[in-house]
Amino acid sequence: MPANGLSGLNRLLEVVRKHGMPIETLPAGHAPPQAGELLCGMPVDQLLAAAFASCGKLVLGRMGSEVPLLIRCDDEVNGLLLDNQEWQGYFPHEFWPDHFRALLLFGGEMLYRYATVPELSSPEGKQPVVRVDPYEDIHALPVASDLDQFFDIYSRYVEIMAEDEGYRSGGAAWVRFPYDVPELIARDRPLVGLIRDGRFDRWLYERTKAGRSTEDDNAPTRAWINEVLSLAGTSA
């Protein structure tokens, strides 16, 4: 299932197969999402459209759990639409700030979600990717400057995970994405620039409608961001 124009996705597929990890894909639908098409009022990212033009689903199996990096979107099930409609249905939310609805979900891991950020689209029309943590007080970590960079970074995370002693002995790795691989995130220079300029701050640090934001609440996130910036040779 080679993906035209998506070197990061192709690398991920090669790495996963090299290490013999379970992977589930489906053929692309006959009418995949189109670049710029409005979904819940937001434009579909051009790279996300290209990914769904190549496959209708991409799920990795590891650590006893499945990781849908691309939710199912084919002729039978439009999971991209369904998941985003469900997400939008959470708003207005009792606690979550409304700007979290301005994210376009495309995958996830357990209750975590991966999403593009349409309003931070690059001049070329590529949208950065965040990992949304909806547990208790919601926040999101920036993980890639665009979707193909996300696949590339994730492929390198898989390589690290495959060498983890726990994974090699029992299939359970304790290398967490993205928390334990800040050095991979730091290689994405366009993303680092966005982080340094504070473009993600309202998703990183503002967590409740009441504006609750204390140093204790934000300390782990700030420490991780500072580590990414330090590894990239820059500062906040």
Side-chain angles (χ1 to χ4, degrees):
M1 187 209 68
N4 293 331
L6 294 173
S7 59
L9 177 54
N10 288 329
R11 187 182 196 280
L12 174 62
L13 295 172
E14 291 171 4
V15 168
V16 167
R17 287 165 179 150
K18 173 184 175 181
H19 291 286
M21 296 179 176
I23 181 172
E24 180 184 353
T25 63
L26 287 173
H30 290 94
Q34 298 297 302
E37 172 186 342
L38 293 184
L39 183 71
C40 297
M42 294 174 285
V44 173
D45 174 56
Q46 60 178 271
L47 297 179
L48 186 60
F52 278 120
S54 299
C55 65
K57 178 182 181 181
L58 174 60
V59 178
L60 305 185
R62 65 171 179 82
M63 296 173 54
S65 64
E66 292 186 337
V67 182
L69 293 181
L70 286 175
I71 54 184
R72 184 174 179 181
C73 185
D74 59 14
D75 292 338
E76 295 184 15
V77 177
N78 189 342
L80 186 66
L81 176 61
L82 293 174
D83 273 28
N84 280 283
Q85 285 179 333
E86 181 181 13
W87 180 254
Q88 293 297 320
Y90 293 143
F91 297 91
H93 193 278
E94 183 178 2
F95 302 112
W96 299 350
D98 285 347
H99 54 254
F100 278 90
R101 73 190 310 167
L103 304 175
L104 199 59
L105 311 187
F106 66 84
E109 184 174 352
M110 296 185 290
L111 289 182
Y112 299 104
R113 294 290 181 266
Y114 294 115
T116 64
V117 189
E119 69 181 67
L120 295 185
S121 180
S122 72
E124 298 76 28
K126 298 176 182 179
Q127 302 173 9
V129 175
V130 295
R131 185 178 192 260
V132 186
D133 181 346
Y135 291 97
E136 298 182 4
D137 295 334
I138 193 171
H139 66 286
L141 296 179
V143 295
S145 59
D146 64 53
L147 185 69
D148 204 43
Q149 280 291 323
F150 167 71
F151 289 133
D152 183 89
I153 291 169
Y154 205 90
S155 75
R156 298 174 195 280
Y157 160 67
V158 170
E159 288 177 322
I160 294 172
M161 184 184 66
E163 297 302 318
D164 180 78
E165 183 177 348
Y167 183 85
R168 296 175 70 177
S169 61
W174 296 106
V175 183
R176 302 171 302 159
F177 183 87
Y179 304 102
D180 296 333
V181 289
E183 70 279 9
L184 299 182
I185 311 300
R187 296 177 188 175
D188 188 338
R189 304 301 295 186
L191 179 72
V192 169
L194 290 170
I195 294 172
R196 185 191 60 235
D197 293 343
R199 302 297 299 280
F200 295 100
D201 281 5
R202 66 183 185 138
W203 292 286
L204 276 167
Y205 305 122
E206 183 182 353
R207 300 194 177 186
T208 69
K209 279 185 176 292
R212 183 172 68 83
S213 179
T214 69
E215 289 301 316
D216 288 342
D217 291 332
N218 296 327
T221 300
R222 290 189 183 277
W224 185 81
I225 287 294
N226 286 336
E227 186 172 8
V228 169
L229 294 175
S230 176
L231 289 166
T234 186
S235 59

